[in-house]
């Protein structure tokens, strides 16, 4: 997990923060998941947020391709909400070749 160290994307046109860069070594087969707050703030009908640990648990269940992996995570988040409040949700997944 790499915590954000820069302002929200899209909050202001042209806003960049070169000091907000991070790097992490990735190897062949590693996957990276980028997500909006709607992923971890997804709430069950009882009002419990999925949280980072819940999202990590979903991401740990691999699928054959990155597209299938992200689609499965999105389905599981929707299933978790089951009518709970909806927030924005954007998931981007990639795999190092």
């Amino acid at each position: 997990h790499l915590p954000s160290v820069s302002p929200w994307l899209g909050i202001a046109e042209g806003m960049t923060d070169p000091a907000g860069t991070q790097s992490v070594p990735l190897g062949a087969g590693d996957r990276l998941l980028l997500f909006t707050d709607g992923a971890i703030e997804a709430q069950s009908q009882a009002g419990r947020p999925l949280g980072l640990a819940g999202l990590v648990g979903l991401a740990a269940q691999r699928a054959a391709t990155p597209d299938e992996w992200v689609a499965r995570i999105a389905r599981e988040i929707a299933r978790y909400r089951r009518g709970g409040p909806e927030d924005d949700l954007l998931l981007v997944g990639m795999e190092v070749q």
Side-chain angles (χ1 to χ4, degrees):
H1 172 245
L2 295 175
S4 176
V5 295
S6 63
W8 300 332
L9 288 175
I11 195 167
E13 188 173 335
M15 181 183 277
T16 60
D17 181 6
T21 60
Q22 300 179 61
S23 62
V24 61
L26 298 172
D30 287 347
R31 288 191 176 171
L32 180 65
L33 180 68
L34 307 174
F35 57 91
T36 59
D37 63 342
I40 59 175
E41 292 175 1
Q43 292 186 18
S44 67
Q45 285 183 336
R48 289 185 309 272
L50 179 63
L52 183 58
L55 181 60
V56 168
L58 294 177
Q61 301 169 24
R62 293 185 58 107
T65 69
D67 288 344
E68 293 168 348
W69 180 58
V70 170
R72 187 191 45 72
I73 294 168
R75 282 192 307 274
E76 292 299 322
I77 290 171
R79 186 183 339 246
Y80 184 81
R81 282 197 297 233
R82 290 192 186 167
E86 291 192 26
D87 192 357
D88 64 293
L89 178 62
L90 175 68
L91 302 171
V92 177
M94 59 193 83
E95 182 174 61
V96 177
Q97 299 293 313

